[in-house]
Amino acid sequence: MLKTLWLTSVSLSLAISLILFPKEVLAASIRGLNLWWEIVFPSLLPFFVTAELLIGFGVVHGLGALSERWMRPLFNVPGSGGFVWVMGMASGYPSGAKWTADLRRKGQISQVEAERLVSFTNASSPLFIFGAVAVGFFHDPSLGALIAFAHYGGNFLVGIGMRFYKRREDRYAWVRDKTSPSWREAIHRMHHSRLQDGRSLGRLMGDAVTRSVDTLLMVGGFIMLFSVLTELLKQTGLIHLISHLLSWTPLPEAFHAPLMAGMLELTTGIGAITATHEPLLSQLILVSFILGFHGFSIQAQIASLLADTDIRFKPYALARIGQAFLSAFLVILGYWLYQNTEWFNQSLPIWNPRETFTEPIMKAFETIGPPFTLVMISTMVLIRVMKGGMVK
């Protein structure tokens, strides 16, 4: 009864706030929509479609057999988790959760293995870290390597720690997968997986597009919702009221409101943190903390992706707290290296600190992104109409 009353009160408060601040809500919703259809959709859809095709063709199953020899000892998950880990880092969250859920539905991983896997395969993409954070917010491309070191290093350490999660319940997994298949056996497994899937090329491509667009529509809804919630907290003053609780901590007062905003939606919080006049190291620590925590917006997206499976959300949520503190510690260590060595200041082969390489990419997204999004949504609708999915 108390939970019902609490949820009802929150919903009514939200509805009243929407009525009281219609102009601000509309502006926040449009900001979220622009972020989604200009950047998020066109950047993630190719990864989602490609992953769907690789899973359907059995490639993931075959590569998983080969990567078993290092994924099992390191993280205590099957080799197919290597694909999820690498692709999750390359494309950014919530990709890792989507592919973990897909592997679980296909029975390629157990429930406990899926809960371990989803805890460390959701990370910020390199484009966001080097482009949006280092160049866009800090205006210093050389900080990209430092932030990436802390973020991906924290992710790796979380994965190492999660290998001990419910190890007794899954004690037969290592014995079952102890052998290391050869290339020939991996190709045989890939072929068997494709035959077991049974879908034609045309149907597989259609399913890949529709499922990927469906997932990204859900992601877009969450981005707009949390953009509105963040704005409402600002307009009602609740974000400042909550931030007063942080006055009992040694955190500088200038970081109170930005931290609360970042806990809801990380992009907004990072922008507010870097706009302060606090020392650079303090900004880096808090930014790394927020990147590791993911923000409630991304956590809600991942919870939605896991909702129709038996994968529990709690291990992922606890892992976020762990990564937030680990990444904050690693950025302190990395900052010492950043100041005392030349490693972080060296030009990387694809991210040159002397060039703002992200500017043409971001401009291309702003130009091509919206029409690409509309075309792909129209394609999904057309495929569903042709399949009879929308005709009763």
Side-chain angles (χ1 to χ4, degrees):
M1 181 63 70
L2 290 176
K3 183 177 180 181
T4 300
L5 292 175
W6 180 78
L7 292 174
T8 302
S9 301
V10 171
S11 301
L12 286 175
S13 300
L14 178 60
I16 294 172
S17 300
L18 292 174
I19 296 172
L20 292 177
F21 305 101
K23 183 178 179 181
E24 292 79 3
V25 166
L26 178 61
S29 184
I30 291 175
R31 285 198 301 270
L33 176 62
N34 288 336
L35 173 65
W36 174 74
W37 85 325
E38 287 181 357
I39 307 297
V40 176
F41 189 99
S43 63
L44 287 185
L45 184 66
F47 284 97
F48 279 18
V49 173
T50 301
E52 290 282 351
L53 294 175
L54 291 175
I55 293 173
F57 292 146
V59 176
V60 175
H61 203 66
L63 291 178
L66 293 175
S67 58
E68 190 78 38
R69 65 191 68 187
W70 54 273
M71 287 300 292
R72 181 65 69 182
L74 280 176
F75 307 117
N76 201 12
V77 296
S80 54
F83 167 83
V84 179
W85 185 33
V86 173
M87 291 290 284
M89 285 192 296
S91 57
Y93 18 58
S95 307
K98 179 185 185 304
W99 296 320
T100 300
D102 288 344
L103 292 179
R104 178 60 187 145
R105 292 190 197 97
K106 292 179 178 294
Q108 296 187 16
I109 54 178
S110 68
Q111 179 188 11
V112 174
E113 290 169 342
E115 289 167 358
R116 292 183 191 132
L117 189 61
V118 78
S119 298
F120 70 95
T121 54
N122 292 277
S124 183
S125 68
L127 180 62
F128 180 75
I129 289 178
F130 283 88
V133 178
V135 176
F137 291 127
F138 282 104
H139 306 291
D140 186 355
S142 65
L143 290 176
L146 171 60
I147 299 169
F149 165 75
H151 185 62
Y152 297 128
N155 224 25
F156 178 81
L157 292 177
V158 165
I160 295 294
M162 287 300 293
R163 76 183 307 275
F164 301 103
Y165 167 73
K166 293 196 173 182
R167 185 171 53 176
R168 293 183 178 180
E169 293 187 16
D170 212 31
R171 60 186 180 275
Y172 298 111
W174 171 252
V175 177
R176 184 179 65 245
D177 298 316
K178 191 173 182 179
T179 58
S180 299
S182 62
W183 279 95
R184 178 175 296 181
E185 186 176 351
I187 294 173
H188 176 74
R189 291 189 186 184
M190 180 178 67
H191 177 65
H192 178 73
S193 178
R194 185 186 68 82
L195 293 179
Q196 196 174 32
D197 185 275
R199 288 177 292 176
S200 64
L201 177 61
R203 183 177 177 183
L204 185 59
M205 293 185 66
D207 290 346
V209 171
T210 54
R211 290 186 62 185
S212 299
V213 173
D214 274 341
T215 301
L216 287 171
L217 286 172
M218 179 272 296
V219 170
F222 275 111
I223 291 174
M224 294 174 66
L225 173 62
F226 275 85
S227 178
V228 169
L229 289 177
T230 303
E231 183 63 29
L232 287 177
L233 287 177
K234 293 178 181 178
Q235 295 297 325
T236 58
L238 286 176
I239 194 168
H240 300 290
L241 179 63
I242 298 172
S243 69
H244 285 320
L245 298 174
L246 297 174
S247 61
W248 298 91
T249 69
L251 189 71
E253 185 178 353
F255 283 152
H256 290 178
L259 176 60
M260 297 309 302
M263 296 291 280
L264 283 172
E265 204 284 312
L266 61 87
T267 306
T268 303
I270 292 173
I273 290 168
T274 55
T276 64
H277 298 287
E278 295 297 320
L280 176 61
L281 178 58
S282 300
Q283 294 184 23
L284 287 169
I285 292 172
L286 207 56
V287 166
S288 295
F289 182 91
I290 291 175
L291 284 173
F293 185 74
H294 289 181
F296 291 120
S297 174
I298 292 171
Q299 291 192 23
Q301 297 171 30
I302 291 175
S304 179
L305 290 169
L306 302 180
D308 60 346
T309 69
D310 60 355
I311 305 173
R312 287 163 290 202
F313 178 74
K314 184 178 179 180
Y316 163 80
L318 293 176
R320 297 287 58 76
I321 299 174
Q323 186 184 347
F325 285 101
L326 283 171
S327 296
F329 170 76
L330 287 176
V331 85
I332 297 174
L333 174 62
Y335 189 75
W336 181 85
L337 296 173
Y338 175 79
Q339 288 189 314
N340 295 278
T341 68
E342 294 294 327
W343 187 84
F344 282 110
N345 293 315
Q346 289 176 354
S347 299
L348 300 179
I350 56 176
W351 291 298
N352 189 339
R354 299 181 181 85
E355 299 176 0
T356 54
F357 79 102
T358 54
E359 292 182 4
I361 295 178
M362 300 305 290
K363 289 181 180 178
F365 272 129
E366 293 176 0
T367 303
I368 303 173
F372 176 81
T373 301
L374 291 176
V375 168
M376 294 310 299
I377 292 176
S378 302
T379 302
M380 182 204 70
V381 174
L382 180 61
I383 290 172
R384 287 197 165 173
V385 170
M386 293 177 65
K387 290 169 63 176
M390 297 179 62
V391 180
K392 303 295 183 182

